[in-house]
């Protein structure tokens, strides 16, 4: 999964409309295809899974940093394995490789953000401690200068009859916004899906809305409880290179960034109120956006470079509906090498065995399995994606530049960080409950004697944090296959224990390495379920649909219409 970097921009436009009604369960999409063939499932092999992880997570792959020699080795290995599994290149010219043009911007002068109140002395803030910022521009300088405009939660969503912008023209303004979405109320217990984080709550959405309205910049207010992680998580990499797609988004923001709670409190005070009062008023529909009696000034300079990551795309062509695609995805990048750690004599290689050599291994075993049985009716595509850790960039680029219309991509199954802790009785399908994928996943899991557990941390917004988001935003029903909650022969809290231990010791650390005590029973189960799911969809005429209340449903409708369906 990616870091919580606030610094990326996906290009696919999400429609504004979304309404809330997740209480009605999706129709159960049943599939007429017969059971998954045993000879295919038998191909899914723990020894080969371990071997793939051992290769990809080896030190010589240098942490698989995007655009590095480590990525070159990675994509060469994946392509060789895909070819051995009988796949052909899925690019229009038959190639396996899709170059992903990227732009890197490294701050050379972080400047000084200054708040100047109408009646009082300017306050100069410190980069990293008091704010972080980056730019959407492909430019060596970016600046903001002007009055701040407070926009509450920065959400405009007719589905909830919610509009924090009202009629205000914010063209060229620098906006200040909370992250997250407004809390549910007694009268509206399902407002913004209650405790489930909606896409309107994600910081990426706040920036997108600001761009749509032509703002010059945006500062997000970070509070620990609202963001779910400390400010230091954001600020840690802020002085380093920020990576985005080479083509900046439409209406790029000059500068976008975050301020921590104490600075937000200071800003509210300069505006003659308190942060608590801002929070209270922002939770109502009556909220009025307004210009604050405070101007903000910041100029930053950057050194830029353009370079390329590479997505790897293989496929098995469908026999009767080759134009329709079932898409498996797994990101192959990780964090590369930490040169500072290395210079200090420590292990600096981010091997990323779990995140996400494991998912790539699953993908290669899936390819083997499909190769061992009759070709499916629909095309099955296997994509390993670049630059996920930099903000789902490889996925975003693929979604924008897909070999066929996204309306013909029937479903996306994403795997990221497989279960190396042993077999479970259940499997988690993040986002499955948002579409008819839930019924399909249940059938696939039942084939392995497993049940499906809904997203058990809905407030974390995991659906928005791995590559499936890019395809969902393009309208493709998607899910993110995750580790179950009930480990066989273990106490009830075992899943929570291992998750906490992983977060504390290995997640995005050089210590995410292949270990002898890792157990492959769980990842084999996950791969078998993923096979059953994709195989069933690929041999049916089913087109799983989003729940009508999902914002992505409207995108799907529009893309199907455009394609003449
Ligand atoms: Zn990952």
């Amino acid at each position: 999964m990616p870091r919580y970097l606030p610094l990326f921009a996906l290009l696919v436009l999400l429609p504004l409309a979304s309404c809330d009604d997740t209480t009605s369960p999706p129709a159960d999409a049943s599939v007429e295809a017969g059971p998954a063939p045993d000879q295919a499932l038998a191909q899914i092999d723990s020894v080969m899974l371990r071997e793939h992880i051992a290769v990809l997570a080896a030190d010589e792959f240098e942490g698989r940093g995007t655009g590095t020699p480590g990525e070159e080795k990675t994509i060469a290995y994946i392509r060789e394995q895909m070819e051995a599994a009988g796949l052909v290149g899925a690019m229009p010219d038959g190639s396996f490789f899709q170059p992903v043009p990227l732009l890197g911007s490294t701050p050379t002068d972080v400047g000084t953000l200054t708040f100047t109140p109408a009646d009082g002395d300017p306050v100069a803030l410190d980069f990293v401690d008091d704010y972080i910022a980056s730019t959407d521009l492909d430019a060596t300088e970016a600046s903001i200068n002007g009055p701040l405009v407070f926009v509450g939660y920065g959400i405009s969503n007719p589905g909830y009859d919610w509009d924090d912008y009202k009629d205000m023209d914010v063209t060229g303004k620098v906006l200040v916004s909370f992250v997250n979405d407004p809390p549910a109320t007694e009268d509206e217990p399902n407002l913004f899906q209650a405790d489930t984080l909606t896409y309107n709550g994600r910081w990426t959405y706040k920036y997108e809305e600001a761009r749509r309205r032509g703002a010059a910049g945006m500062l997000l207010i970070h509070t620990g409880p609202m963001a779910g992680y400390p400010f230091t998580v954001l600020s840690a990499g802020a002085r380093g290179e920020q990576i985005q797609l080479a083509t900046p988004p439409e209406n790029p923001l000059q500068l976008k960034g975050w301020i921590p709670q104490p600075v937000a409190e200071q800003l509210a005070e300069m505006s003659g109120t308190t942060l608590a009062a801002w929070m209270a008023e922002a939770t109502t529909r009556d909220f009025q956006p307004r210009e604050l009696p405070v101007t903000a000034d910041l100029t930053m300079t950057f050194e830029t470079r353009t370079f390329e990551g590479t997505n790897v795309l293989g496929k098995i062509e469908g026999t009767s509906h080759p134009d329709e695609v079932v898409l498996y995805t797994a990101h192959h990048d990780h964090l590369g090498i930490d040169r500072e750690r290395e210079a200090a004599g420590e292990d600096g290689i981010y091997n990323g065995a779990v995140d996400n050599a494991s998912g790539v291994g699953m993908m290669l075993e899936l390819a083997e399995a499909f190769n061992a049985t009759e070709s499916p009716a629909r095309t099955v595509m296997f994509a390993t994606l670049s630059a996920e850790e930099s903000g789902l960039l490889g996925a975003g680029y693929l979604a924008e530049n897909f070999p066929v219309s996204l309306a013909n991509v029937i479903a996306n199954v994403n795997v990221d960080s497989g279960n190396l802790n042993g077999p479970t009785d259940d499997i988690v399908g993040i986002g499955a409950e948002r579409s008819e994928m839930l019924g399909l996943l249940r059938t696939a899991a039942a084939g392995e004697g497993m049940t499906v557990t809904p997203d058990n941390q809905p407030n974390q917004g995991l659906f928005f944090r791995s590559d499936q988001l890019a395809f969902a935003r393009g309208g493709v029903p998607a899910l993110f296959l995750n580790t179950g909650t009930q480990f066989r022969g273990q106490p009830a809290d075992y899943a929570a224990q291992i998750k906490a231990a992983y977060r504390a010791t290995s997640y995005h650390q050089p210590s995410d390495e292949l270990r002898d005590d890792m157990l492959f029973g769980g990842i084999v189960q996950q791969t078998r379920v993923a096979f059953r799911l994709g195989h069933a969809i690929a041999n049916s005429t089913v087109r799983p649909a989003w729940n009508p209340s999902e914002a992505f449903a409207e995108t799907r409708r529009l893309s199907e219409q455009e394609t003449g369906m």
Side-chain angles (χ1 to χ4, degrees), residues 513-534:
E513 294 181 284
L514 182 60
R515 297 190 320 264
D516 287 344
D517 64 348
M518 284 172 163
L519 302 172
F520 281 73
I523 193 171
V524 167
Q525 284 179 314
Q526 287 177 308
T527 312
R528 290 172 64 103
V529 171
F531 175 81
R532 287 178 183 275
L533 177 61

Side-chain angles (χ1 to χ4, degrees), residues 368-392:
E368 289 274 0
F370 274 96
N371 191 37
T373 182
E374 267 175 62
S375 287
R378 288 167 161 163
T379 293
V380 180
M381 197 181 293
F382 304 82
T384 75
L385 301 165
S386 185
E388 189 264 4
E389 305 286 9
S390 307
L392 323 182

Side-chain angles (χ1 to χ4, degrees), residues 239-498:
R239 283 184 189 276
E241 182 178 58
Q242 311 301 324
I243 301 174
Q244 60 182 343
L245 292 178
T247 307
E250 263 183 72
N251 300 333
L253 299 172
Q254 285 271 337
L255 291 170
K256 58 195 169 160
W258 294 72
I259 52 175
Q261 186 165 342
V263 175
E265 278 163 0
Q266 206 175 357
L267 178 62
E269 242 167 75
M270 284 177 177
S271 310
T273 181
T274 64
L275 188 63
W278 273 0
M279 280 184 190
E281 64 171 306
T283 59
T284 71
R285 285 193 175 80
D286 300 334
F287 170 80
Q288 287 296 330
R290 62 180 173 278
E291 199 164 289
L292 302 175
V294 180
T295 59
D297 254 295
L298 174 63
T299 299
M300 291 177 71
T301 60
F302 304 92
E303 192 174 83
T304 63
R305 68 174 179 127
T306 50
F307 63 110
E308 276 178 0
T310 307
N311 293 331
V312 189
L313 311 182
K315 68 176 177 183
I316 292 178
E317 186 102 340
T319 50
S320 58
H321 293 88
D323 52 327
E324 296 182 346
V325 174
V326 175
L327 175 67
Y328 287 107
T329 50
H331 74 86
H332 64 238
D333 66 303
H334 199 48
L335 304 172
I337 298 176
D338 184 331
R339 299 290 173 191
E340 278 175 35
R341 280 188 201 244
E342 265 197 348
E346 297 167 34
D347 175 10
I349 302 176
Y350 291 100
N351 306 82
V354 173
D355 187 8
N356 187 28
S358 65
V360 175
M362 288 170 74
M363 169 94 64
L364 296 174
E365 287 302 281
L366 286 166
E368 289 274 0
F370 274 96
N371 191 37
T373 182
E374 267 175 62
S375 287
R378 288 167 161 163
T379 293
V380 180
M381 197 181 293
F382 304 82
T384 75
L385 301 165
S386 185
E388 189 264 4
E389 305 286 9
S390 307
L392 323 182
L393 299 180
Y397 187 80
L398 175 58
E400 284 279 287
N401 300 277
F402 207 83
V404 300
S405 160
L406 285 186
N408 284 324
V409 181
I410 307 300
N412 170 224
V413 178
N414 186 47
V415 288
D416 187 352
S417 304
N419 168 18
L420 296 170
N421 289 287
T424 55
D425 288 328
D426 62 336
I427 193 161
V428 172
I430 304 283
E433 71 286 352
R434 295 169 186 270
S435 75
E436 290 174 338
M437 292 289 279
L438 181 60
L440 299 167
L441 178 60
R442 281 194 175 127
T443 305
E448 294 298 315
M450 298 168 84
T451 57
V452 174
T453 298
D455 184 353
N456 52 337
Q457 309 161 277
N459 60 339
Q460 292 285 303
L462 286 181
F463 189 64
F464 311 130
R465 290 192 186 173
S466 190
D467 287 324
Q468 70 284 338
L469 175 65
F471 303 100
R473 294 185 68 209
V476 179
L479 64 79
F480 168 14
L481 216 53
N482 217 327
T483 298
T485 59
Q486 300 148 39
F487 280 82
R488 289 186 182 158
Q490 299 288 356
D493 65 346
Y494 188 70
Q497 278 179 37
I498 55 168

Side-chain angles (χ1 to χ4, degrees), residues 113-116 144-148 174 219 294-298:
L113 176 61
T114 308
F115 287 159
T116 308
I144 48 174
N145 176 1
L148 290 165
V174 182
L219 295 174
V294 180
T295 59
D297 254 295
L298 174 63

